[in-house]
Amino acid sequence: MEITKVGVLGCGLMGHGITQICAQGGWEVVVREVSQEKLDGGIGKISKQLARAVEKGKLEQADADGVLARIQPTLDCSDLGECDLVIEAITEDLELKLEMWKEVDAIAKQDAYFATNTSSLSVADQAAVTSRPERFLGLHFFNPAQVMPLLEVVRAEGTGDDAARLGFELGEKLGKTTVAARDNRGFIVNRLLVPYMLDAIRAHEQGVGSIEDIDTGMKAGASHPMGPLTLADFVGLDTLALIADVMHEAYAEERFAAPPTLTRLVEAGHYGRKSGQGFYDYSGERPEPVELDA
Ligand code: 3HC
């Protein structure tokens, strides 16, 4: 099936990036949010990134204008009715996702494909509330979606061959490296990356090193682009805690349990970079590590 119009549900951290790369890939994109403020925030980030690319000479102004013109922001779910593929990137909450899929299933074209960008929830559980499990797959992008090369293509129990093929073709069109992942909690990358970040938090709790030293250690000692605590702030501590809970329940292994510091920070509304504070304070010129209670 030829894709001409893509729908994206959610214009937050992941949704705005997915919207941008799909529009850059040449597709018309309808992006839906639940509030004008969130919609404006996501579109504002896309405009800023396009302007920066033009400034750096990496993109012509006319092309940047073209990308923005292909994006239709909306608050109205019924605007997704003409989309050939709908990708969801809303909060990592199964109940919310199921409600949303029921709504979208009722208005989407009969032959439209659905994809979830879930980090950790079951693709099959989401497919099951729609009328099209064979057209439902997981497409897991990484943050920032505009930069990170990987796309995990997740085939659930009922995903058909056409939908799986569509996932790999879409990745290729977007210039991503694709891998096939099974529909287990965390797929490949988060199965390995989430316990690593949680373990770094535990290492800090146990006094192994300061926030900065743990991060510097993994950057300089293992050539990671970011240390694990910076990465946790970057992913979002609220998202990390939600993923940890899902994986802990699924695997019943202590290494997936949210450490007390993570729970405390999330309860205090410190979600990392997006809220201005997490393991670091982002209010100044450069991020400063926060003094955390023992
Ligand atoms: N949007 C668009 N472009 C961005 C960007 C963003 N949010 N952030 C950085 N960039 C671009 C910059 O414009 C720059 O582009 P250029 O090379 O064309 O000039 C390029 O990326 C490099 O950026 P910077 O020079 O500003 O900074 P860095 O070299 O430090 O790179 C980084 C930033 C790419 C974020 C790098 O630090 C990195 O790779 N970090 C690790 C990120 C990571 O591991 N992500 C996965 C998280 S896990 C996940 O997403 C799964 C989920 O389910 C939890």
Side-chain angles (χ1 to χ4, degrees):
M1 179 191 179
E2 187 68 18
I3 300 288
T4 53
K5 202 171 203 177
V6 176
V8 179
L9 295 157
C11 198
L13 203 56
M14 295 309 297
H16 89 274
I18 296 170
T19 298
Q20 184 179 335
I21 55 175
C22 287
Q24 283 176 339
W27 292 306
E28 298 290 324
V29 185
V30 181
V31 57
R32 193 250 177 168
E33 252 302 353
V34 288
S35 77
Q36 192 62 46
E37 193 189 353
K38 287 184 175 169
L39 200 53
D40 292 345
I43 299 296
K45 279 189 204 153
I46 295 173
S47 306
K48 229 184 248 171
Q49 276 142 21
L50 291 172
R52 209 175 299 146
V54 171
E55 245 170 58
K56 286 180 186 167
K58 296 194 167 185
L59 194 67
E60 294 295 331
Q61 184 62 55
D63 293 333
D65 294 343
V67 171
L68 276 178
R70 281 194 288 281
I71 299 173
Q72 181 194 339
T74 186
L75 297 175
D76 186 353
C77 217
S78 61
D79 286 337
L80 298 159
E82 290 309 308
C83 293
D84 307 300
L85 165 70
V86 179
I87 306 172
E88 77 77 23
I90 67 168
T91 311
E92 197 67 351
D93 177 318
L94 186 61
E95 289 310 313
L96 277 183
K97 287 188 198 279
L98 298 185
E99 281 314 304
M100 190 223 43
W101 280 128
K102 284 184 211 160
E103 191 183 348
V104 176
D105 192 44
I107 53 99
K109 293 197 294 193
Q110 209 64 54
D111 59 354
Y113 290 91
F114 288 172
T116 171
N117 179 56
T118 182
S119 309
S120 60
L121 298 168
S122 159
V123 176
D125 284 354
Q126 296 178 61
V129 298
T130 72
S131 58
R132 59 192 92 200
E134 74 292 347
R135 292 179 169 272
F136 201 112
L137 75 161
L139 289 177
H140 186 215
F141 292 86
F142 291 80
N143 177 27
Q146 299 93 329
V147 180
M148 299 304 283
L150 187 65
L151 175 66
E152 287 181 314
V153 178
V154 185
R155 196 171 177 158
E157 200 60 31
T159 304
D161 290 342
D162 286 351
R165 198 175 313 117
L166 173 95
F168 289 105
E169 285 172 4
L170 177 125
E172 195 178 324
K173 176 117 201 274
L174 295 176
K176 300 291 184 198
T177 300
T178 49
V179 291
R182 210 179 62 187
D183 187 17
N184 58 263
R185 306 294 67 73
F187 314 126
I188 296 171
V189 175
N190 280 342
R191 175 79 164 74
L192 302 172
L193 191 61
V194 167
Y196 159 67
M197 287 186 274
L198 300 176
D199 225 11
I201 301 172
R202 276 188 282 270
H204 180 258
E205 285 173 348
Q206 291 159 11
V208 171
S210 68
I211 292 173
E212 260 184 325
D213 284 347
I214 289 172
D215 277 348
T216 303
M218 291 310 292
K219 280 199 295 178
S223 278
H224 289 193
M226 284 175 169
L229 300 172
T230 300
L231 183 60
D233 274 358
F234 187 69
V235 165
L237 300 184
D238 52 339
T239 302
L240 180 60
L242 286 171
I243 301 174
D245 288 347
V246 169
M247 294 179 83
H248 188 220
E249 197 185 328
Y251 295 111
E253 290 175 36
E254 277 315 294
R255 67 203 179 99
F256 294 109
T261 308
L262 177 62
T263 308
R264 248 191 353 254
L265 286 168
V266 172
E267 279 171 2
H270 298 320
Y271 299 154
R273 200 188 276 206
K274 64 183 166 189
S275 74
Q277 192 170 316
F279 288 96
Y280 292 83
D281 180 340
Y282 297 89
S283 59
E285 279 276 288
R286 64 181 290 277
E288 291 296 338
V290 166
E291 284 288 332
L292 295 171
D293 298 334

